[in-house]
Amino acid sequence: MMQAHPGLPEFDYIKPASLEEASRFLARRAGEARPFLGGTDVFVRMRDGAWRDRFLVDVKGLPAMNVLAFDPDEGLTLGAAVTMNRTIEHPLVRAHYPLLAEAARSVGGYQLRNRATVAGNLCNASPAGDTLGACLAYGARLKVFSRQGEREVPLDGFFLGPGKTLLQPGDIVTAVLFPAPPAGQAGRYLKLGRNVLSDLSIVGVTALGWPDPARPSGYGFRLALASVAPVPLVPAAAESILSEQPPGADTFAAGAEAAVAACAPIDDARASARYRKAMVRNLVRQALTAIWEEMSGG
Ligand SMILES: Cc1cc2nc3c(=O)[nH]c(=O)nc-3n(C[C@H](O)[C@H](O)[C@H](O)COP(=O)(O)OP(=O)(O)OC[C@H]3O[C@@H](n4cnc5c(N)ncnc54)[C@H](O)[C@@H]3O)c2cc1C
């Protein structure tokens, strides 16, 4: 009888003492070694036989990986190993990046969120990843360590396809960096899954708005769509409409149409492409209406 899950294969567990050691090992063993944080993607993929790495490198105990710090001018430093639950529960995240907390809360169940990290969600680069939209909306960057030194990588352009990113063998993400949040922000993450408890999104809509007198509409908007393209999708034409035309039902409807036009969903076991497009239209309008009511005190 064929087994649904072949079980965890044999691998060597590597616990490096420093970032240098970890990066050197990962670069030298490119193709057969992989870093992990919570392991909630890694161990499932290994168990299912999708990944067959010989070495799993545990990077969550390395220096600075567990930092969670906020500065009103510099913004938020979210260490790569900070779990979803710690992110959600932190008062400074809730106060200054509520959309990140809301998105993280929608990931799996409580036990999963005790292991899973935002950095792991980003590096895993699933188009269904729930926190990718909030990180994009806030303009987050990744702090990446490699043997060549440390660099910052903007999330715009980081995702290349399902499971594919700009990261190279030996690159280790040490933190997710968020700039200071926009004053007067309002945000929503609307996730449509097959059940309300613990499922990947059929469609996920992230929307963030804030007053911005420099724009013709008086407001800036960021949108990101999950599960409707090979990468998390930022519908730029929709954002332009929203920052140029006066906020209200007609503008939100036009923004939603532009978002539908930008997406290229597939038919799969969870939903048809047609249904996904219809849900993008509904959820974008719903999210924009909700954040507008909040921003305008309605
Ligand atoms: C039951 C279940 C339910 C789930 N539900 C959801 C859900 O609702 N929404 C959702 O978005 N996801 C869901 N997931 C997927 C998963 O939990 C998330 O993607 C999670 O955020 C991954 O974080 P992690 O720390 O466990 O990553 P890991 O599994 O440790 O790593 C994920 C990927 O990132 C790479 N990586 C890890 N650390 C680094 C690093 N420091 N530098 C460079 N690359 C690195 C790994 O090699 C791997 O490719 C679910 C998973 C399970 C098992």
Side-chain angles (χ1 to χ4, degrees):
M1 199 173 75
M2 231 181 68
Q3 274 186 299
H5 302 303
L8 263 186
E10 272 197 22
F11 61 87
D12 282 351
Y13 170 83
I14 311 289
K15 191 149 197 238
S18 67
L19 282 166
E20 291 79 6
E21 187 187 325
S23 174
R24 200 177 331 113
F25 185 87
L26 287 163
R28 191 153 38 90
R29 297 289 191 163
E32 52 176 4
R34 175 183 295 280
F36 75 95
L37 291 161
T40 62
D41 282 308
V42 167
F43 287 103
V44 172
R45 293 301 202 96
M46 293 284 285
R47 180 201 63 184
D48 289 351
W51 291 348
R52 298 172 186 280
D53 299 275
R54 279 180 59 201
F55 306 97
L56 294 185
V57 182
D58 187 346
V59 294
K60 64 181 169 294
L62 292 173
M65 287 286 201
N66 279 287
V67 169
L68 198 168
F70 175 72
D71 175 280
D73 298 320
E74 297 298 318
L76 176 73
T77 299
L78 188 69
V82 175
T83 64
M84 296 273 184
N85 275 346
R86 204 176 141 211
T87 307
I88 295 162
E89 283 156 18
H90 201 284
L92 289 170
V93 175
R94 294 164 84 109
H96 301 289
Y97 303 89
L99 181 57
L100 174 65
E102 184 185 355
R105 201 177 300 111
S106 77
V107 173
Y110 185 85
Q111 288 88 344
L112 181 98
R113 296 194 295 267
N114 261 349
R115 300 290 303 181
T117 62
V118 173
N121 204 215
L122 296 170
C123 294
N124 191 54
S126 160
D130 283 312
T131 65
L132 281 52
C135 294
L136 281 161
Y138 282 124
R141 306 165 331 268
L142 296 177
K143 196 166 170 187
V144 180
F145 180 92
S146 77
R147 286 165 312 149
Q148 285 74 44
E150 225 164 27
R151 66 187 195 280
E152 288 185 11
V153 180
L155 273 191
D156 276 325
F158 173 74
F159 303 104
L160 304 180
K164 294 201 177 69
T165 68
L166 286 177
L167 293 176
Q168 297 293 319
D171 282 350
I172 299 172
V173 172
T174 56
V176 190
L177 308 174
F178 296 80
Q185 64 170 305
R188 286 291 182 284
Y189 180 56
L190 301 184
K191 172 178 178 177
L192 180 70
R194 287 170 301 184
N195 60 59
V196 290
L197 282 178
S198 169
D199 194 18
L200 292 178
S201 64
I202 290 172
V203 165
V205 169
T206 305
L208 181 71
W210 64 96
D212 183 351
R215 299 180 198 233
S217 72
Y219 291 87
F221 287 91
R222 291 294 326 252
L223 291 174
L225 309 175
S227 298
V228 293
V231 292
L233 189 79
V234 174
E239 291 181 343
S240 300
I241 290 170
L242 296 168
S243 70
E244 280 160 21
Q245 298 178 18
D250 291 347
T251 300
F252 299 157
E257 283 314 317
V260 173
C263 62
I266 53 166
D267 294 314
D268 69 11
R270 283 180 294 132
S272 68
R274 195 158 157 250
Y275 180 69
R276 285 189 157 103
K277 283 196 171 197
M279 291 304 105
V280 167
R281 181 176 293 111
N282 290 355
L283 295 181
V284 169
R285 283 172 73 161
Q286 201 178 312
L288 290 171
T289 306
I291 64 177
W292 174 239
E293 273 181 18
E294 198 178 318
M295 282 194 294
S296 60

